[in-house]
Amino acid sequence: MRRQYLWIVAAAGLVGSVLAARGASPAMAGAISGKVTYTGTAPKMKPIDMAKEPSCAKQHATPVTTENVVTGPGNALRYVVVYISAGDEGASAPSDAVRYDQKGCQYVPHVAVMRVNQPLEIYNDDQTSHNIHPLARVNSEWNKSQPIGAPPIHTTWEKPEFIPVKCNVHPWMHGWFLVLTTAHSAVTGEDGEFSLKGLPPGKYTLTAWQEQFGTQTQDVTIGGSETKTVDFVFKARPY
């Protein structure tokens, strides 16, 4: 019984240390959760023909389309990045690398979020060569080939920026690197839901970004350990 008690105390101390590093005590850490949806008629995504890359084509059991707008049940929007754009003092970049894969001649995930100066590792999982070309404007733009079996590309970004990514070998491959200064961000899944935890009391600006529909912002005040619910609704529009 005593061992179990000591384990609980140690675990509580660990959680407290993590929250303290984020600027909040366990008793005062708040959260923001919500859902991102759309109104209107979502644009139809274009079909992708991978006939020229049979090794990639056979990895997909269903037809593949572009991912500019990916929807889910109940008009949910996937791949929306929700993050604190004001009010977060931030922290040093984590040492854990963000992994970005080229698999089935697609970028996985379609949208990858990382911090300024956080390591990024880019892998080629396919039986074909790829060429990864981040179209950075604020950071340095580069263009690198990655043959079959090549080691991962290791890189970092020094400044915050939303960077579109393409493959010059396979023109249908498109993705995004979102380089942020905040430690509080989330990418919505098929259900359109998000959750940001470990927020100290204060006033924040919450931003939701979708690559085709643009951005929306809402101001949120966290007072203690409460969880605020914030929803975003985008108006669908065609290309």
Side-chain angles (χ1 to χ4, degrees):
M1 183 71 179
R2 178 174 174 78
R3 288 183 178 179
Q4 182 180 13
Y5 171 78
L6 292 174
W7 181 88
I8 293 172
V9 171
L14 176 61
V15 171
S17 298
V18 171
L19 291 172
R22 293 177 174 176
S25 67
M28 298 296 287
I32 302 173
S33 62
K35 186 172 183 177
V36 184
T37 58
Y38 70 93
T39 59
T41 303
K44 291 183 179 181
M45 295 295 96
K46 298 178 181 179
I48 295 174
D49 182 7
M50 295 188 185
K52 294 182 179 180
E53 286 292 357
S55 65
C56 287
K58 69 180 182 181
Q59 296 184 51
H60 302 282
T62 58
V64 181
T65 63
T66 54
E67 297 180 297
N68 304 67
V69 179
V70 180
T71 62
N75 282 19
L77 277 176
R78 189 177 185 184
Y79 297 131
V80 179
V81 179
V82 183
Y83 64 100
I84 300 295
S85 55
D88 184 12
E89 297 300 324
S92 58
S95 58
D96 294 342
V98 172
R99 176 164 179 150
Y100 201 63
D101 285 88
Q102 298 161 102
K103 184 175 179 61
C105 290
Q106 286 187 299
Y107 290 129
V108 182
H110 178 64
V111 177
V113 176
M114 61 211 70
R115 301 270 296 283
V116 170
N117 292 320
Q118 183 175 8
L120 170 64
E121 296 179 347
I122 304 167
Y123 290 79
N124 180 3
D125 305 318
D126 289 327
Q127 295 302 305
T128 185
S129 294
H130 285 295
N131 166 267
I132 187 160
H133 187 178
L135 300 169
R137 294 180 178 270
V138 178
N139 292 280
S140 298
E141 180 181 354
W142 50 263
N143 185 354
K144 295 182 180 180
S145 177
Q146 200 168 27
I148 301 170
I153 295 172
H154 298 272
T155 190
T156 59
W157 303 103
E158 297 180 352
K159 300 175 182 178
E161 185 178 3
F162 293 7
I163 305 173
V165 186
K166 70 174 184 177
C167 175
N168 291 344
V169 178
H170 306 101
W172 63 80
M173 291 181 65
H174 291 276
W176 288 87
F177 296 152
L178 266 64
V179 187
L180 304 176
T181 57
T182 178
H184 300 100
S185 64
V187 182
T188 59
E190 186 179 358
D191 59 6
E193 295 181 357
F194 68 90
S195 180
L196 307 180
K197 300 179 180 180
L199 292 165
K203 184 176 181 180
Y204 300 94
T205 298
L206 189 67
T207 295
W209 171 91
Q210 202 283 332
E211 64 181 280
Q212 184 168 329
F213 297 157
T215 61
Q216 292 186 10
T217 61
Q218 295 190 46
D219 290 332
V220 186
T221 300
I222 298 294
S225 59
E226 64 182 337
T227 297
K228 287 288 184 72
T229 299
V230 178
D231 296 326
F232 292 92
V233 181
F234 285 89
K235 184 176 180 181
R237 61 177 186 270
Y239 283 104

